[in-house]
Amino acid sequence: MNVGVVGLGLIGGSIAKGYKADKNAVHKVYGADRDNIMLDYAIMSGAVDEKLDENTIGECDLIFVCLYPKATMEYLEKNSKYINKNALVIDSCGTKREVCEVGFAMAKEYGFTFVGGHPMAGTHNSGFKYSRATMFSGAPMVIVPPVFDDMELLDRVKGHLAPLGFKAISVTTAASHDKMIAFTSQMAHIVSNAYIKSPEARSHKGFSAGSYKDLTRVAQLNPDMWTQLFMENGDFLLDELDNFIENVTAYRDAIKNKDEELLYKLLDDGRRIKGEIDG
């Protein structure tokens, strides 16, 4: 299979390496990146075979667009006319509504198949040097197809993604994805990023353990990417922020008012809900 990867950062680099490491088939990987030095390095390292451009994109059976949301939409609008009509195109953005709107429109106009994608894996580090062939092994993958009842398309997507080793593939709508991701991912990054701004943070050494590390791991985020994701998903994210502020305020008020009974109830409710969620 000929695979094109646009954007050779953490996710794109891991996708390229994953297909090259497939023991069940030989894949040719074409790569594109705005950093020509990085692209040359990816080729020299064996993760990419050739450069992906308007002359080679038509040879690809499968294309991953691994860019920030705005850049993904711009790439599709500029390059869709070169894509093979038999190709499957998947993006990897953390929000889906705006990207899928453009992707589905381009696919309809030029005849290829577009499916929104969000691989649920990664690290707080970014860049090709942190990418690895096993990044997606055992991880979930969320897809947003143009229609839900096209089982042939879903089988095609699963088959094309098989070399990356995803444990499960979930199918949803763009709006449902964005609503859920506001809670599961975006809020976690905001809470972590805000928490680390405490004036005590710089002198925490010797006083912190696992809970501190768990809560602050994603504070070291990529501000360019997350700003785009937060702004594009502002409606759902604001709902989650308002809910969180209300809950945190309840803890604050209980402590301020020395209401031990209420504080106990708030803590016990959180403990109980966590237990129910985790089974």
Side-chain angles (χ1 to χ4, degrees):
M1 183 163 57
N2 290 338
V3 181
V5 182
V6 184
L8 296 170
L10 178 69
I11 299 300
S14 295
I15 288 173
K17 292 178 181 179
Y19 280 95
K20 293 305 294 181
D22 187 8
K23 296 180 180 180
N24 298 313
V26 176
H27 307 288
K28 186 171 184 178
V29 176
Y30 297 87
D33 196 273
R34 63 182 180 181
D35 185 341
N36 290 325
I37 295 177
M38 181 55 64
L39 176 58
D40 290 341
Y41 176 76
I43 293 174
M44 287 189 296
S45 70
V48 170
D49 295 298
E50 292 184 26
K51 181 179 180 180
L52 178 71
D53 56 24
E54 61 187 51
N55 296 314
T56 57
I57 193 171
E59 299 179 22
C60 294
D61 308 295
L62 174 63
I63 300 169
F64 291 93
V65 185
C66 305
L67 305 173
Y68 297 168
K70 291 179 182 178
T72 293
M73 291 183 281
E74 291 172 358
Y75 181 87
L76 290 171
E77 289 171 340
K78 180 180 179 180
N79 294 282
S80 287
K81 58 187 176 183
Y82 303 115
I83 297 175
N84 191 312
K85 291 185 177 181
N86 295 317
L88 173 65
V89 180
I90 304 175
D91 81 286
S92 65
C93 293
T95 53
K96 296 268 71 84
R97 284 174 291 175
E98 293 186 18
V99 169
C100 283
E101 182 178 357
V102 172
F104 292 149
M106 293 295 100
K108 183 176 181 181
E109 181 174 354
Y110 293 102
F112 60 88
T113 301
F114 178 85
V115 172
H118 189 180
M120 305 303 295
T123 72
H124 63 279
N125 294 310
S126 60
F128 182 81
K129 68 178 181 179
Y130 294 106
S131 64
R132 62 181 190 273
T134 58
M135 177 69 73
F136 310 107
S137 180
M141 173 66 165
V142 180
I143 64 169
V144 178
V147 292
F148 270 74
D149 56 354
D150 190 341
M151 297 309 298
E152 183 177 348
L153 172 59
L154 296 180
D155 286 341
R156 180 185 174 195
V157 172
K158 290 179 180 179
H160 279 29
L161 292 176
L164 297 180
F166 288 105
K167 180 179 180 181
I169 296 178
S170 301
V171 182
T172 187
T173 64
S176 294
H177 168 277
D178 288 358
K179 181 177 176 62
M180 184 57 69
I181 220 68
F183 169 70
T184 61
S185 176
Q186 295 182 344
M187 273 300 296
H189 284 78
I190 286 180
V191 171
S192 180
N193 195 263
Y195 172 78
I196 201 64
K197 294 176 181 176
S198 167
E200 301 301 322
R202 298 184 185 280
S203 56
H204 77 87
K205 290 184 179 180
F207 295 85
S208 59
S211 56
Y212 169 84
K213 292 179 180 178
D214 290 344
L215 186 54
T216 60
R217 181 180 65 83
V218 294
Q220 195 173 358
L221 46 69
N222 182 324
D224 187 14
M225 180 181 74
W226 287 101
T227 295
Q228 286 192 33
L229 294 174
F230 291 164
M231 295 303 290
E232 288 194 16
N233 210 30
D235 50 353
F236 290 135
L237 188 53
L238 282 172
D239 288 342
E240 289 296 336
L241 276 167
D242 289 342
N243 182 62
F244 180 76
I245 291 170
E246 181 180 349
N247 285 327
V248 170
T249 300
Y251 289 89
R252 180 187 183 279
D253 291 346
I255 294 171
K256 181 179 180 180
N257 298 328
K258 300 186 183 302
D259 191 335
E260 186 174 340
E261 183 177 348
L262 175 58
L263 181 59
Y264 177 90
K265 183 180 184 305
L266 292 170
L267 294 169
D268 193 53
D269 284 347
R271 176 201 60 78
R272 176 180 51 79
I273 292 171
K274 172 65 174 173
E276 291 174 354
I277 292 171
D278 290 351

